[in-house]
Amino acid sequence: MRKGAASLRFAKVYLEITNVCNLSCDFCPGTRRSPRFLTTKEFALLAGKLRPYTDHLYLHLMGEPLVHPALDQLLGEAARLHFRVAIVTNGTLLPEKAQILLASEALYKVSISLHSLEANGGLSPGAYLEEAVAFARQAEQKGIVTVFRLWNLDGETPGQNRLNDAFLERIEAAFPGPHPLLRKGLRMSEKIWVEEGKRFDWPDLSLPERDDVRFCLGLRDQIGVLCDGTVVPCCLDHEGDLALGNLFSGSLADMLDSPRARSLYDGFSGGRAVHPLCRRCGFAGRFAKKFT
């Protein structure tokens, strides 16, 4: 039974601090929205409204969070609100922003998308990974988890995953074993992990509908807020197609209790995707077994 909207708690909330990225990866859909950065004042307003609903704030949805010019101030505000913060980054700006991250009292996890390198030419795999490993070692000393992500393991395109084995070999050499198995990958050390996963099709209204979408964690485990304040049910709604309202001016409780939110939630409770965007989500297809 769904709780009253005002009493809902989420495992995490995605707050997009910018939709601007310094790379252009072929696996990322990007966004047609106008480029935007949250101001520190806007961040404080949105984060304050989200605080009753979660302890864990993820500072991304689209965009590269490390390009934000006021990242240190945003992390400081998150600490003031006693959030535990996670960041997903392509890792290319770690040498510039490492000290800001390491000094944060709020940051508990940094996930580095290593597959970003393969999607962009001109980057040196050796130097890139050395910098990522160096950051992970420093972060571990601060009690911060680092996750090396290899999430393009579909194996359908020749050469597409050519760096995966090389990355894993270098990481294993940097952190001598044993490397216990985790649910999604390997533990290199106490706070340094490798996670692996398959590439998926982001939801897009231009794609054909799928027949395997039966369930989603949106509005259950998570919600997202775009950098213009738009509230979305999940972290994959990169264009705001399922907008529930705007958090700058509206009440999150009212949005979560809206007809659209209730319809989405109740539909998935019964194993049915009610919105056309959801029926075009490759990630949600992974939950099909829940209703088979």
Side-chain angles (χ1 to χ4, degrees):
M1 174 97 40
R2 178 183 168 88
K3 298 179 181 178
S7 63
L8 283 174
R9 293 279 295 175
F10 298 102
K12 54 186 173 288
V13 171
Y14 293 85
L15 177 53
E16 180 187 74
I17 60 175
T18 181
N19 58 2
V20 174
C21 188
N22 63 324
L23 297 182
S24 181
C25 299
D26 59 7
F27 57 79
C28 175
T31 179
R32 297 183 297 275
R33 293 178 283 128
S34 298
R36 197 179 194 283
F37 292 83
L38 282 182
T39 67
T40 53
K41 184 177 180 180
E42 288 173 337
F43 179 86
L45 173 63
L46 297 180
K49 286 190 171 185
L50 293 171
R51 189 61 186 90
Y53 293 86
T54 190
D55 295 325
H56 294 83
L57 200 63
Y58 283 47
L59 301 188
H60 59 275
L61 200 146
M62 287 285 102
E64 166 55 55
L66 299 194
V67 306
H68 200 293
L71 180 63
D72 56 341
Q73 297 175 51
L74 304 190
L75 287 171
E77 179 62 19
R80 187 187 72 78
L81 291 169
H82 303 290
F83 275 115
R84 299 190 76 203
V85 169
I87 284 178
V88 173
T89 173
N90 58 46
T92 58
L93 299 177
L94 281 175
E96 299 173 33
K97 299 298 180 78
Q99 294 311 309
I100 291 175
L101 298 177
L102 296 171
S104 172
E105 296 178 5
L107 189 66
Y108 84 97
K109 183 171 69 172
V110 175
S111 297
I112 305 172
S113 297
L114 297 180
H115 48 295
S116 301
L117 181 73
E118 199 151 23
N120 293 269
L123 299 177
S124 166
Y128 171 77
L129 195 58
E130 284 176 11
E131 290 163 352
V133 166
F135 172 81
R137 287 188 169 128
Q138 290 179 287
E140 186 168 41
Q141 295 301 312
K142 296 284 187 176
I144 299 169
V145 171
T146 300
V147 179
F148 295 111
R149 298 173 70 175
L150 292 169
W151 279 23
N152 58 350
L153 305 182
D154 55 278
E156 296 175 0
T157 304
Q160 182 171 277
N161 304 317
R162 60 187 175 82
L163 293 180
N164 283 1
D165 289 343
F167 276 147
L168 191 55
E169 182 178 333
R170 287 175 182 240
I171 294 170
E172 289 179 331
F175 304 100
H179 302 130
L181 287 174
L182 302 173
R183 184 170 62 90
K184 294 182 180 179
L186 300 171
R187 185 188 296 275
M188 296 293 107
S189 66
E190 182 61 29
K191 293 188 179 294
I192 301 173
W193 313 334
V194 173
E195 288 185 355
E196 300 176 322
K198 293 183 178 180
R199 186 168 176 162
F200 61 88
D201 291 326
W202 285 65
D204 193 294
L205 290 170
S206 67
L207 295 176
E209 290 194 3
R210 306 170 60 102
D211 60 5
D212 59 351
V213 181
R214 301 284 184 272
F215 187 70
C216 177
L217 292 174
L219 296 173
R220 285 174 164 79
D221 174 84
Q222 60 169 277
I223 57 170
V225 182
L226 304 181
C227 57
D228 65 355
T230 299
V231 177
V232 292
C234 82
C235 64
L236 298 182
D237 187 1
H238 54 101
E239 297 292 7
D241 292 309
L242 287 172
L244 302 177
N246 193 289
L247 196 56
F248 281 130
S249 57
S251 159
L252 185 56
D254 289 344
M255 296 177 214
L256 296 175
D257 201 33
S258 66
R260 168 170 277 186
R262 286 190 168 274
S263 175
L264 290 166
Y265 186 97
D266 293 343
F268 281 124
S269 294
R272 185 169 57 93
V274 300
H275 194 277
L277 184 71
C278 302
R279 296 195 292 271
R280 292 167 168 82
C281 179
F283 190 86
R286 299 178 178 188
F287 302 114
K289 291 181 179 180
K290 181 178 176 68
F291 287 94
T292 56

